[in-house]
Amino acid sequence: MAEESKGAWKETKISCPKFLKVWDNMRDIFPHPYTLKDAFQFIDIVSAEDSQLTFAIEYNGHFAGMISLIKQPEVYRKSAEPGFWIGERK
């Protein structure tokens, strides 16, 4: 991933997931605490998606959360699970 993209990500207040009140409903794969290293790994994974399935949610021009489709394996391979989170403004 390009360094300028990582810098832009930092500017979107990477700590947004720390303010979620829905931790109990998140998948175990979502790290806590969420670090800058976790964010860079996530960006690298999303950037490599063959079909884009992960998108930013913006509100008034600012990063507010994420929405994605999670492809299902095996007999469920023709379906996807929607997932999203929206941060709080502090």
Side-chain angles (χ1 to χ4, degrees):
M1 163 182 262
E3 288 303 314
E4 61 275 3
S5 296
K6 289 181 180 180
W9 179 260
K10 271 177 93 170
E11 291 174 16
T12 62
K13 299 193 179 183
I14 197 89
S15 60
C16 192
K18 293 178 183 177
F19 303 121
L20 292 175
K21 291 183 178 178
V22 294
W23 281 109
D24 290 337
N25 297 312
M26 299 295 282
R27 289 184 166 267
D28 291 344
I29 196 169
F30 196 85
H32 181 66
Y34 194 78
T35 66
L36 193 55
K37 180 182 175 186
D38 295 320
F40 290 158
Q41 286 176 330
F42 176 75
I43 292 169
D44 289 340
I45 290 167
V46 169
S47 297
E49 287 180 343
D50 188 28
S51 296
Q52 195 68 47
L53 298 174
T54 306
F55 304 91
I57 298 172
E58 290 185 27
Y59 179 74
N60 288 338
H62 298 280
F63 177 79
M66 301 292 301
I67 188 164
S68 65
L69 291 173
I70 302 163
K71 290 183 185 179
Q72 300 300 297
E74 301 171 5
V75 298
Y76 305 105
R77 69 187 175 279
K78 294 185 179 186
S79 64
E81 174 186 334
F84 72 95
W85 62 262
I86 297 175
E88 287 185 332
R89 186 173 180 183
K90 292 277 181 171

